[in-house]
Amino acid sequence: MIKQVRKIRTLIFVCCLLSICPLLFVQQNTLSNKGSFQVREGISNARLQITKGAATVAFLGGSITHNPGWRDSVCQYLQIKFPQTKFHFINAGIPSLGSLPDAFRFQQEVLDSGKIDLLFVEAAVNDRVNNTDSITQIRSLEGIVRHARKKNPAIDIILMSFAGPEKLKDYDEGRIPVEVRNHEMVAGHYNLPSINLAKEVYDRIEAGEFSWKEDFKDVHPSPFGQKIYSNTIKGLLEKCFSKSVNENEILYPIPTPLDKWNFEDGKYVSIKKAHLHQGFKLIENWQPEEKIQTREGFVNRPMLEATMPGASLSLSFKGTAVGMAIISGPDAGKIEYSIDGKIYQSIDLYTQWSSYLHLPWYILFDGALENKQHKLKIRIAKDKNSASKGTACRIVYFLVNK
């Protein structure tokens, strides 16, 4: 009888503990994270460079890469695991940017830094919120991979898909999010390691380990969510490091592309290459007149600016794709553009974030041009978005896939 009473008391205590402190049990990782990643070819070349005593690791992505959290944890993990190795870490995360911007800024902001041994790429979150279409996602992601391996055939690359409410909704309705599918498609074609953190977060929420609202909290995760991310990334790295070390680098073959129009030669083109007609002027050190947020790298720098309808410029270029990187603030207008004398088409430069931020915004005019000389013409339209305070156009770079 006494033993039965003790059993009942113990059972009541455990039930109370589970109801009061569920997060204590989250750390037990009820679901294995091994299903969240694919090792494929692994990162044997990066491991070889690490064991030789020096390695460069780059992180390319948006705000989830830029902000403190999982990236710092992964860097710390590598330094602790390989204390004799001199690591050079490159944080090429810029808030708001997805795969399209990454494909064209990759040369200047990553590859120009020197030989990269290991590259982490994430773009799934901003590709969704920026409404980047599926074809452009594939061309951009594939372009990054091919560009990287043309520069260094031994580079190891890891593609990652982070979580967001829209992706959780997709999984809940039985769909694989488009962005995740595209990341996995490119990773599979090039035999790259990949991590589907969006699916892991969904599965673990469904299993009752934690909640999005109370624990993960945001697309920019809480410290709890950052730990989920870093633990899984470390799990993939541990799996890769468990393999034997190569004696020599493997030069990876570059297969036939998924899309022949991919942006593997995507680069920035200086705004000084443009021919200014009326209204546009070069501002050598642009700063906003009003007090409003800006992004590092998109302020206190040269910029082409025009604020009145009718202002125009042209750019001669050779390549298969062309676009521009702008900043879109409270007075962003509409532009009309024409390539090779074709009918002008209109694009609204004002975004849902423009009222409170001079947002870096990347626009692709055409991604499937014949590889020859072309001429782009841009002019500011007379009409504007009803929410905008003006008709401004401020260009930071032109984008060309040469």
Side-chain angles (χ1 to χ4, degrees):
M1 185 69 175
I2 294 175
K3 289 183 178 180
Q4 289 180 337
V5 171
R6 286 177 178 173
K7 286 182 180 180
I8 293 171
R9 287 177 178 174
T10 300
L11 181 61
I12 292 172
F13 172 77
V14 170
C15 291
C16 290
L17 187 61
L18 284 170
S19 64
I20 296 171
C21 304
L23 287 182
L24 291 175
F25 292 84
V26 170
Q27 305 304 323
Q28 300 302 315
N29 295 332
T30 303
L31 294 181
S32 168
N33 61 17
K34 291 180 181 179
S36 305
F37 55 75
Q38 300 287 331
V39 174
R40 297 191 179 96
E41 191 84 41
I43 56 170
S44 57
N45 288 334
R47 172 69 185 278
L48 177 61
Q49 296 307 314
I50 290 171
T51 58
K52 285 183 175 181
T56 297
V57 181
F59 300 86
L60 180 66
S63 54
I64 299 172
T65 292
H66 170 81
N67 295 344
W70 68 267
R71 176 180 48 79
D72 305 89
S73 180
V74 169
C75 293
Q76 184 181 40
Y77 156 81
L78 289 171
Q79 290 172 316
I80 292 172
K81 187 173 182 65
F82 303 99
Q84 304 304 318
T85 301
K86 182 178 180 181
F87 285 99
H88 176 212
F89 297 112
I90 299 173
N91 179 6
I94 297 181
S96 307
L97 302 190
S99 62
L100 174 65
D102 290 348
F104 288 91
R105 69 187 182 94
F106 184 48
Q107 176 68 52
Q108 178 176 307
E109 297 179 7
V110 178
L111 296 181
D112 284 351
S113 300
K115 181 176 179 285
I116 310 299
D117 299 300
L118 179 58
L119 173 67
F120 290 86
V121 179
E122 67 88 6
V125 170
N126 283 337
D127 276 355
R128 172 66 68 97
V129 298
N130 292 346
N131 295 316
T132 305
D133 67 85
S134 182
I135 292 174
T136 300
Q137 289 176 32
I138 295 170
R139 290 175 178 173
S140 300
L141 289 168
E142 182 172 36
I144 293 167
V145 173
R146 295 179 71 86
H147 195 162
R149 289 207 161 153
K150 285 170 64 176
K151 184 79 171 180
N152 173 18
I155 189 173
D156 283 313
I157 305 168
I158 298 173
L159 297 188
M160 306 177 295
S161 301
F162 289 105
E166 302 89 351
K167 294 181 184 61
L168 301 186
K169 185 173 184 292
D170 282 345
Y171 280 122
D172 198 49
E173 295 176 354
R175 296 189 301 270
I176 299 175
V178 172
E179 300 77 17
V180 173
R181 187 184 66 223
N182 289 338
H183 275 64
E184 290 298 322
M185 184 190 305
V186 173
H189 187 68
Y190 291 91
N191 212 12
L192 309 176
S194 63
I195 309 176
N196 186 353
L197 290 154
K199 184 63 162 60
E200 178 183 346
V201 169
Y202 173 78
D203 286 343
R204 294 177 71 173
I205 288 175
E206 286 297 292
E209 289 191 34
F210 52 81
S211 74
W212 179 270
K213 183 178 180 181
E214 299 298 328
D215 307 312
F216 219 82
K217 295 187 177 180
D218 191 26
V219 70
H220 300 114
S222 64
F224 174 86
Q226 295 283 1
K227 188 173 182 180
I228 295 289
Y229 282 172
S230 63
N231 283 347
T232 299
I233 296 169
K234 292 173 192 175
L236 169 64
L237 294 175
E238 282 291 333
K239 189 73 173 178
C240 292
F241 291 147
S242 67
K243 296 184 176 183
S244 58
V245 181
N246 294 339
E247 293 183 4
N248 299 295
E249 282 189 332
I250 300 169
L251 301 184
Y252 296 113
I254 301 179
T256 302
L258 289 165
D259 190 322
K260 68 176 183 178
W261 302 109
N262 71 83
F263 307 138
E264 64 184 270
D265 293 308
K267 293 179 177 67
Y268 280 153
V269 172
S270 171
I271 53 177
K272 294 182 180 181
K273 298 288 186 181
H275 181 67
L276 307 185
H277 302 295
Q278 57 181 358
F280 271 96
K281 59 183 178 180
L282 175 64
I283 308 295
E284 289 290 351
N285 189 40
W286 183 86
Q287 300 177 38
E289 295 180 357
E290 73 279 26
K291 290 184 178 181
I292 191 171
Q293 295 181 59
T294 58
R295 293 278 196 242
E296 184 179 353
F298 295 85
V299 66
N300 298 319
R301 56 156 301 115
M303 202 171 296
L304 292 179
E305 179 184 62
T307 58
M308 299 299 293
S312 62
L313 58 76
S314 61
L315 175 73
S316 295
F317 68 95
K318 182 180 180 179
T320 62
V322 65
M324 65 180 183
I326 67 167
I327 54 169
S328 175
D331 60 347
K334 292 182 180 180
I335 59 104
E336 297 167 334
Y337 72 94
S338 169
I339 300 174
D340 299 335
K342 294 180 181 178
I343 296 174
Y344 277 88
Q345 299 182 63
S346 178
I347 292 180
D348 189 354
L349 306 184
Y350 192 86
T351 75
Q352 60 179 307
W353 305 279
S354 295
S355 63
Y356 60 88
L357 169 67
H358 279 292
L359 177 76
W361 197 244
Y362 286 61
I363 295 166
L364 184 66
F365 296 126
D366 198 319
L369 296 166
E370 187 178 347
N371 190 21
K372 65 175 187 177
Q373 284 292 137
H374 300 279
K375 189 169 187 178
L376 168 70
K377 294 181 180 180
I378 297 174
R379 66 191 184 197
I380 296 184
K382 293 180 181 179
D383 63 330
K384 66 179 184 66
N385 190 300
S386 59
S388 177
K389 296 180 180 179
T391 54
C393 175
R394 298 183 180 92
I395 305 173
V396 187
Y397 298 105
F398 291 103
L399 317 174
V400 172
N401 189 57
K402 295 186 178 181

